[in-house]
Each structure stands twice: as C-alpha cells, then as structure tokens.
C-alpha cells in the first residue's frame, strides 16, 4: 500500500475530472477519492449514480505509449472482481469494463488516457456499489451492491485498500511482462463462449480476450479482434 498516495475529498464533481484538471501535479500511484461525486460519469458520457454508499476513486498512472496498455482495463476489472469475490459469490467481469454479481452490475471502470508524445497519463476511474440499499428505478433491475448481495455493510476504505493492493500485484506482473493473469481474466469473463451484440449492432461469438484487452470474435466464419466500447449479451443464444 505504501506506494499509493491517497487524497480524500468529501465532495467532488468527479474524481476523474479532478485528476484531469490537476494533471501536472499528479505522481504515479496517486489516488483521489470522493465520498460523494456530484457529476460522476461513465463511458459514453453516461451519469454514474453516486452517493456516500458508493466507493468512487481514480488512480493515476504514467506509462510509455503502447497498445498493450489496453489490458489495464481488464486488470483493473480483475482486481475489483477479486475483492468482490471475497465477500460474495458469482462475481464476473463483463468486457470491457464492468463487474457483475449474479448478472447485475456492481462496479464500472472508466479509463481516460491523456497522450503526451510517447507517454500516456492514465486516469483509472472506478466506481463500486458498496452499501447501497436501493437504486434509482431506471437501473434497479440492472444494478446491485455488496450490501444487497450479502446483507452486511462494509467499510469503503477497506475495499479501496484491498482493490489497490490487488491491482498493484497484477500491475507489477504487467510491468514484468508476466501475463499469467490472463488465465484468470478469461476464466472470470461473463462473455467468452457467448454470443454478444456489439455496439454497432451485429451479433458475434466471443472466442477469447487477448493480452491487449481486445475481444477475439467470430462472425460469419471470420475471426477478428474488436476494441469497441460496449457489448450486450445476446438473448436467446446459449
Ligand atoms: C461505466 O460504468 O461506464 C464506468 C463508471 C465509472 C465511474 C467512476 S466513479 C470514479 C470515477 N469518476 C467518475 O466520474 N467516473 C469514474
């Protein structure tokens, strides 16, 4: 844990936004948390519902520009999923950036890359539903929390530390080019071996996730890698 420098705020617009606005002051492994985000956001500029029951944080990294960095979303999801799995069963990773429990979303990840020459300043935003007892009616059938799954409240700081420590272990492997975590990413994926509908609307079969974090899919007898931002599990396919 020692390498992380954690700044805690009671309220922020968004921890990702805070980091983007303070980019020049950040060091690698800086972490910003907010007890409440007023304007937390996810991919596609969607709102991220947030209150004191959620864990919301951003982690800052700086890396050489490289397409293998694409695996960091999966590594983050794996770290979150590992921690959630300590508390409840049936946690999985839904490519590219969600963690599910019993097929409902419990956590979301939003990575924002700021490219400066050959360097990427990477902001890894993570939101985990921890002690939420209910959700807005617009998402209640799709969202869950650790409390709803276990019936017990959990200290958000404990979860944060567990996620950061777990992430660090996988990140060190990534730096050393040790890809043993890929097996775990694959085995805990909720999409490998399933038919999914891509954001663009076509239905494909997911064969694998590669070491750059891309989906390897089959469509009409052809195999290709997919880097899009969103997929949904296709109904009526096994
Ligand atoms: C998604 O599901 O699309 C990703 C959601 C990411 C939410 C987190 S909460 C901490 C960080 N700050 C934000 O504004 N967003 C991310």
């Amino acid at each position: 844990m020692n390498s992380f420098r954690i700044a805690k705020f009671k309220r922020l617009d968004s921890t990702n936004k805070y980091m983007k606005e303070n980019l020049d002051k950040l060091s690698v492994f800086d972490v910003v948390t907010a007890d409440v985000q007023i304007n937390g956001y996810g991919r596609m500029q969607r709102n991220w519902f947030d209150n004191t029951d959620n864990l919301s944080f951003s982690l800052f990294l700086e890396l050489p520009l490289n397409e293998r960095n694409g695996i960091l979303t999966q590594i983050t999801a794996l770290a979150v999923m590992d921690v959630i799995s300590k508390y409840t069963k049936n946690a999985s990773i839904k490519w590219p950036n969600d963690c599910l429990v019993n097929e409902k979303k419990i956590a979301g990840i939003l990575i924002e890359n700021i490219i400066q020459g050959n360097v990427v300043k990477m902001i890894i935003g993570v939101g985990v539903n921890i002690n939420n007892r209910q959700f807005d009616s617009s998402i209640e059938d799709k969202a869950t929390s650790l409390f709803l799954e276990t019936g017990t409240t959990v200290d958000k700081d404990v979860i944060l530390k567990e996620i950061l420590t777990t992430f660090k272990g996988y990140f060190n492997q990534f730096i050393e080019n040790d890809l043993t975590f890929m097996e775990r990413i694959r085995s805990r994926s909720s999409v490998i071996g399933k038919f999914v509908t891509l954001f663009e609307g076509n239905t494909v079969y997911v064969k694998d996730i590669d070491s750059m974090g891309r989906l390897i899919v089959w469509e009409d007898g052809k195999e290709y890698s997919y880097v899009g931002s969103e997929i949904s599990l296709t109904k009526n396919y096994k």
Side-chain angles (χ1 to χ4, degrees), residues 14-16 37 39-43 48 56-58 97-98 105 108-110 125-127:
S14 144
T15 55
N16 269 33
Q37 294 184 118
N39 280 311
Y41 56 90
R43 282 164 313 131
W48 174 256
S56 304
F57 71 93
S58 301
N97 69 337
D98 292 343
K105 180 161 169 168
I109 295 154
L110 175 68
V126 179

Side-chain angles (χ1 to χ4, degrees), residues 1 40 44-45 48 87 93 100 103 118 128 132 141 165 169 172 177 184-185 196 200 206 211-212 223 229 237:
M1 272 303 294
M44 326 268 206
Q45 302 304 318
W48 174 256
Y87 296 85
I93 303 169
L100 310 181
E103 292 168 21
N118 291 328
V128 189
N132 314 64
D141 57 334
T165 307
N172 288 344
N177 226 353
R184 193 157 169 76
I185 286 173
V196 300
E200 293 76 10
V206 180
S211 60
M212 287 179 249
E223 183 176 306
S229 55
Y237 283 93

Side-chain angles (χ1 to χ4, degrees), residues 80-177:
V80 174
M81 200 275 315
D82 278 354
V83 173
I84 289 168
S85 295
K86 287 185 177 177
Y87 296 85
T88 184
K89 289 185 188 151
N90 300 331
S92 62
I93 303 169
K94 178 171 172 279
W95 188 95
N97 69 337
D98 292 343
C99 292
L100 310 181
V101 173
N102 292 320
E103 292 168 21
K104 290 182 166 187
K105 180 161 169 168
I106 195 162
I109 295 154
L110 175 68
I111 297 196
E112 298 188 78
N113 292 311
I114 298 99
I115 298 169
Q116 296 181 342
N118 291 328
V119 170
V120 187
K121 297 194 171 194
M122 184 179 284
I123 296 167
I124 302 181
V126 179
V128 189
N129 301 330
I130 308 276
N131 293 320
N132 314 64
R133 280 155 200 259
Q134 59 185 41
F135 289 96
D136 189 274
S137 57
S138 60
I139 56 165
E140 67 183 350
D141 57 334
K142 293 183 263 180
T144 191
S145 69
L146 265 191
F147 177 82
L148 289 174
E149 296 300 326
T150 64
T152 42
T153 53
V154 189
D155 185 338
K156 292 199 291 184
D157 280 346
V158 171
I159 304 284
L160 172 66
K161 287 187 182 132
E162 288 179 340
I163 292 174
L164 293 175
T165 307
T166 310
F167 174 86
K168 188 77 191 306
Y170 290 129
F171 183 71
N172 288 344
Q173 289 177 17
F174 166 80
I175 293 296
E176 285 156 19
N177 226 353

Side-chain angles (χ1 to χ4, degrees), residues 1-6 27-31 59 160-162 164-166 168-169 172:
M1 272 303 294
N2 290 346
S3 44
F4 294 103
R5 193 174 63 157
I6 303 175
S27 306
V28 171
F29 296 132
D30 273 357
V31 175
L59 163 67
L160 172 66
K161 287 187 182 132
E162 288 179 340
L164 293 175
T165 307
T166 310
K168 188 77 191 306
N172 288 344

